[in-house]
Amino acid sequence: MIPAKRIHTVEEYYFSRKLREVRSLVAKGKPIINLGIGSPDLQPPTVVVDALEASLHDETAHKYQSYQGIPELRNAIADFYQKNYQVSLDAATEVLPLMGSKEGIMHISMAYLDEGDEVLIANPGYPTYTSVTKLLGAIPKYYDLDAESDWLPNLEKLAKEDLSKVKLMWINYPHMPTGAKASKSFFKDIITFAKKHEILIINDNPYSFILNDEPLSILSIEGAKDVALELNSLSKSFNMAGWRTGMVMGKARHIQHVLKVKSNMDSGMFYGIQKGAIKALERSSDWFTTLNNIYEKRRKLIWELATKLHCKFDAETSGMFVWAKLPKENTLSSEAFVDKLLYEKDVFITPGSIFGTQGEGYVRFSLCVTEEKIKEVINRIEA
Ligand SMILES: Cc1ncc(COP(=O)(O)O)c(C=O)c1O
């Protein structure tokens, strides 16, 4: 059977391929330390796991659930947005729980893109925006980010281009992989830009509570709901990546469009997961303080490691990665540098080039490993 043409528009996800290689090295007895992947190794709040367990005996626990999530979860999301971002949302119409924000990228794209439509995507950026765009027959239109402009798009330059076919623009601040932050004034500018060019902006915001003193939502900007959606996630904020819990927020009309797609794709989120998610969202800010104390210690060690590798980094970033520039004297590509480290030191980090051409010459270190392991990596590099 010949598969659909669309599957030739994408390749197997880098991590799916590379982690197979890493696993085969582990199977051969190599003591690999994985600093590549952003899957939190820490536990979710205990109350979350307790809530899931307790929910299993509820009468409704095993039935199909509402396509929009249970009202209690939507209320918890709206309260969380009010408390942490000072954004008012109507829980009934402006909030849609998702099974991870990654699926939201597909649902939003399916709701808004026709074949041949263009989509503004950051280079470097999260590869899923590109794959989903291509799978739908739409066309990625990359905007370059660089260290000189603090990894923020140059909106003046973009405005001079032909944007007539652009329907969506993905932004993601705090930015993955660089950790760059956006200011309120940048968000104001991008909302003005979106209104002028009739583009729907989506801010993908899963990192705002990691090593960040000022969590910011694009929806806190006046008039943002007219032209912007925000994706968020419990994966990183509450160490719940495997739970697959995220959400999309925005104007009721936009959420309706996304729901129209989503309700034809799944039949609701497992009840226990929703009950656990509610407990996570209700946690007070001391949760983030404790979490960030751990990440801060790890990040210091990663900085030490990056320095040992003669890499340069910006200390003023957020999120759960350190983005580092390879040394001037290095002649290897990012991928070759990563492979050298993998095969000579049994350490896996992520090459910046998988995030786009602008990521060439950089590598990304994850903070999802214990201090002991990072110290071990430092020892291996010194040896
Ligand atoms: C920028 C960005 N967006 C979205 C996601 C997906 O997160 P989730 O677990 O909520 O699907 C990730 C995960 O690594 C990410 O880095």
Side-chain angles (χ1 to χ4, degrees):
M1 182 64 78
I2 301 166
K5 290 186 201 82
R6 79 172 61 85
I7 79 155
H8 303 300
T9 64
V10 290
E11 284 172 31
E12 187 184 357
Y13 200 48
Y14 171 81
F15 283 116
S16 162
R17 181 166 50 81
K18 197 67 184 178
L19 291 177
R20 204 161 41 236
E21 187 180 331
V22 171
R23 273 196 304 275
S24 83
L25 291 171
V26 173
K28 284 180 198 148
K30 294 277 183 192
I32 306 286
I33 297 182
N34 188 342
L35 293 175
I37 197 109
S39 180
D41 58 316
L42 300 164
Q43 293 298 299
T46 315
V47 284
V48 169
V49 180
D50 291 348
L52 166 68
E53 260 183 63
S55 77
L56 296 176
H57 301 286
D58 286 5
E59 231 174 79
T60 54
H62 308 285
K63 293 183 175 165
Y64 286 123
Q65 299 298 318
S66 153
Y67 295 100
Q68 282 178 276
I70 55 176
E72 214 181 330
L73 174 57
R74 273 184 278 121
N75 285 332
I77 294 171
D79 290 348
F80 183 81
Y81 256 69
Q82 186 66 61
K83 187 171 93 185
N84 292 287
Y85 300 114
Q86 297 74 54
V87 170
S88 299
L89 294 167
D90 178 351
T93 60
E94 295 184 327
V95 171
L96 181 62
L98 300 169
M99 295 181 210
S101 55
K102 192 171 181 179
E103 75 155 24
I105 298 170
M106 179 55 100
H107 295 336
I108 294 167
S109 300
M110 286 181 91
Y112 284 95
L113 298 176
D114 287 313
E115 252 176 61
D117 285 342
E118 292 182 351
V119 182
L120 287 168
I121 297 174
N123 174 9
Y126 184 48
T128 302
Y129 312 134
T130 294
S131 339
V132 164
T133 302
K134 287 184 175 172
L135 281 169
L136 295 176
I139 303 160
K141 186 174 168 72
Y142 295 104
Y143 57 92
D144 285 353
L145 305 179
D146 54 39
E148 288 68 41
S149 14
D150 298 321
W151 307 101
L152 290 166
N154 184 335
L155 297 178
E156 270 176 38
K157 190 168 154 225
L158 263 184
K160 290 188 187 129
E161 293 184 24
D162 176 9
L163 300 176
S164 56
K165 288 195 180 145
V166 174
K167 281 249 195 91
L168 302 182
M169 177 174 188
W170 292 99
I171 59 169
N172 150 231
Y173 291 101
H175 182 240
M176 197 293 296
T178 68
K181 288 177 267 193
S183 63
K184 250 193 161 164
S185 89
F186 166 76
F187 278 147
K188 272 186 196 153
D189 291 347
I190 206 157
I191 293 302
T192 309
F193 171 86
K195 286 189 175 168
K196 179 159 178 217
H197 298 282
E198 292 180 38
I199 294 171
L200 182 66
I201 305 279
I202 309 104
N203 185 41
D204 184 13
N205 196 11
Y207 295 100
S208 60
F209 296 99
I210 311 297
L211 297 172
N212 184 17
D213 294 334
E214 288 178 70
L216 201 58
S217 162
I218 195 167
L219 300 177
S220 65
I221 305 301
E222 213 187 308
K225 282 186 193 164
D226 292 335
V227 285
L229 286 171
E230 184 155 275
L231 281 173
N232 214 319
S233 167
L234 275 63
S235 294
K236 326 284 174 173
S237 310
F238 295 101
N239 303 330
M240 292 167 69
W243 285 57
R244 312 309 303 130
T245 329
M247 53 269 203
V248 56
M249 282 70 48
K251 204 178 191 130
R253 185 166 45 87
H254 294 141
I255 296 297
Q256 270 303 322
H257 294 150
V258 180
L259 178 61
K260 204 163 173 180
V261 173
K262 184 174 155 58
S263 59
N264 280 292
M265 308 247 112
D266 67 62
S267 300
M269 193 192 292
F270 183 55
Y271 181 72
I273 290 181
Q274 299 194 58
K275 294 298 262 187
I278 291 163
K279 287 291 173 203
L281 293 162
E282 286 173 356
R283 280 301 312 247
S284 62
S285 58
D286 61 334
W287 164 259
F288 294 122
T289 311
T290 311
L291 189 66
N292 283 316
N293 280 342
I294 298 170
Y295 282 133
E296 217 161 289
K297 285 190 203 135
R298 291 177 175 185
R299 186 166 65 171
K300 274 205 182 113
L301 287 169
I302 294 281
W303 286 344
E304 196 182 320
L305 168 62
T307 307
K308 291 246 180 298
L309 291 166
H310 309 289
C311 293
K312 293 248 179 315
F313 52 85
D314 177 359
E316 299 301 318
T317 56
S318 289
M320 52 173 47
F321 303 101
V322 170
W323 179 246
K325 193 168 171 52
L326 294 176
K328 267 204 190 97
E329 58 279 13
N330 165 65
T331 54
L332 299 175
S333 68
S334 299
E335 278 210 43
F337 185 93
V338 164
D339 278 344
K340 193 167 149 60
L341 212 57
L342 179 59
Y343 285 92
E344 289 181 6
K345 303 286 180 186
D346 297 321
V347 174
F348 177 54
I349 58 173
T350 307
S353 51
I354 71 155
F355 303 107
T357 51
Q358 290 290 105
E360 183 52 75
Y362 288 84
V363 287
R364 191 193 76 170
F365 299 85
S366 162
L367 301 181
C368 301
V369 270
T370 61
E371 286 179 58
E372 288 65 35
K373 282 195 179 153
I374 306 171
K375 283 180 191 161
E376 165 64 19
V377 174
I378 295 172
N379 288 341
R380 287 187 196 175
I381 301 300
E382 279 171 344

